[in-house]
Amino acid sequence: MRFEMLDLNKCIRELELRYHKPVNSVQLLAVSKQQSIAKIQTAIDAGYTAFGESYLQEALPKIEHFKKTPHSLTWHFIGPIQGNKTKKIAENFDWVQSVDSMKIAKRLNDQRPEHLPPLNICLQINISDEPTKSGIQVNDLFTLAEFCKTLPRITLRGLMAIPAPQSNFDDQRKVFHALRLLFDALNEKNFSLDTLSMGMSNDMEAAIAEGSTMVRIGTALFGTRIIP
Ligand SMILES: *Cc1c(COP(=O)(O)O)cnc(C)c1O
């Protein structure tokens, strides 16, 4: 059976129009964690070029595989980061969206290989303030952002968050709005951030309504995750 991939770019363009956002202001990150190389290939054939992975061991062979193909892809690390994984992450990814401590930022900076451009990073915020979730508290955001500015081998591009799941559209918007305000507050302090990474399969529309510049879509694009 051929796997039919949804034309998500078309969908995103329609949402940009509906919420009066500039055309192409929202990028799509195809979240390929727990998806096969064959499905990633289908996504590449459909024109997708940016992929998100959450587990280092699973991601490395995929990245290796596509290095041997003519495609120019961008890989984003979006999962929780343990200190002993930062070296491989700094060596193999273009972006890390889940930075949530000075220690991790410093290690990524120190371990980013010289022959590569600075690593793009987003700070992950625990926006719903859930004790068990990754991400920094809002109160720690400015200190960490200032610290990242001093590190030459990483470039702070923006903010990322995974809000607690909510089914009500207005409730989804409220959380994204709060994140948007933090993003604007940093930019008022001249951080020049261009990436507000918010919105997944179930809350993409609310995120775009609130000014997301990057939605991270897994299941809506690839179907149910399979690799255990
Ligand atoms: C898994 C994951 C996604 C994608 O979630 P879907 O609901 O499948 O779209 C997005 N962002 C992060 C950080 C994830 O871990």
Side-chain angles (χ1 to χ4, degrees):
M1 194 180 78
R2 212 182 150 280
F3 163 61
E4 291 290 342
M5 189 157 285
L6 188 72
D7 192 346
L8 260 184
N9 277 322
K10 192 162 154 254
C11 211
I12 292 171
R13 299 292 86 80
E14 283 167 8
L15 289 170
E16 286 171 348
L17 268 182
R18 184 176 312 160
Y19 292 100
H20 311 290
K21 306 298 177 193
V23 181
N24 293 327
S25 59
V26 183
Q27 297 175 52
L28 171 72
L29 181 69
V31 176
S32 50
K33 68 173 183 221
Q34 296 170 286
Q35 303 289 357
S36 64
I37 281 181
K39 278 202 175 173
I40 299 173
Q41 184 63 58
T42 307
I44 293 169
D45 295 341
Y48 298 106
T49 55
F51 294 90
E53 291 280 338
S54 299
Y55 310 104
L56 183 66
Q57 299 323 331
E58 181 199 328
L60 290 179
K62 292 177 178 174
I63 296 173
E64 266 318 299
H65 173 88
F66 288 105
K67 261 188 202 156
K68 295 181 202 121
T69 67
H71 311 290
S72 172
L73 305 178
T74 307
W75 294 94
H76 294 233
F77 192 82
I78 60 174
I81 307 172
Q82 293 154 305
N84 62 354
K85 301 280 167 62
T86 50
K87 183 160 185 288
K88 288 270 183 230
I89 291 173
E91 287 171 355
N92 288 280
F93 284 82
D94 305 289
W95 285 69
V96 180
Q97 295 202 11
S98 42
V99 174
D100 65 356
S101 71
M102 289 193 191
K103 180 186 140 205
I104 295 295
K106 177 86 170 73
R107 289 179 68 94
L108 291 170
N109 176 78
D110 295 351
Q111 294 170 333
R112 180 66 168 173
E114 279 303 322
H115 69 278
L116 295 175
L119 184 63
N120 297 298
I121 67 156
C122 293
L123 302 180
Q124 182 176 351
I125 301 182
N126 187 347
I127 194 74
S128 306
D129 200 14
E130 298 168 281
T132 59
K133 287 282 177 68
S134 324
I136 53 164
Q137 302 300 309
V138 170
N139 284 341
D140 299 328
L141 175 60
F142 279 86
T143 312
L144 181 54
E146 290 284 1
F147 178 70
C148 289
K149 251 190 173 174
T150 68
L151 302 172
R153 299 295 297 147
I154 62 178
T155 304
L156 178 59
R157 297 290 298 269
L159 305 180
M160 185 274 263
I162 312 171
Q166 313 221 44
S167 47
N168 179 287
F169 183 72
D170 292 327
D171 292 339
Q172 290 177 350
R173 276 191 75 154
K174 246 178 238 161
V175 183
F176 289 136
H177 185 73
L179 194 64
R180 172 66 202 236
L181 293 180
L182 291 172
F183 180 77
D184 291 345
L186 283 168
N187 276 338
E188 272 157 31
K189 298 203 169 175
N190 296 320
F191 278 92
S192 309
L193 306 182
D194 61 7
T195 304
L196 184 54
S197 173
M198 58 186 198
M200 320 201 313
S201 295
N202 290 324
D203 53 17
M204 174 172 97
E205 178 167 350
I208 291 175
E210 291 298 337
S212 171
T213 72
M214 189 183 290
V215 291
R216 310 178 308 269
I217 308 296
T219 44
L221 188 64
F222 292 105
T224 312
R225 288 184 266 277
I226 44 147
I227 301 171

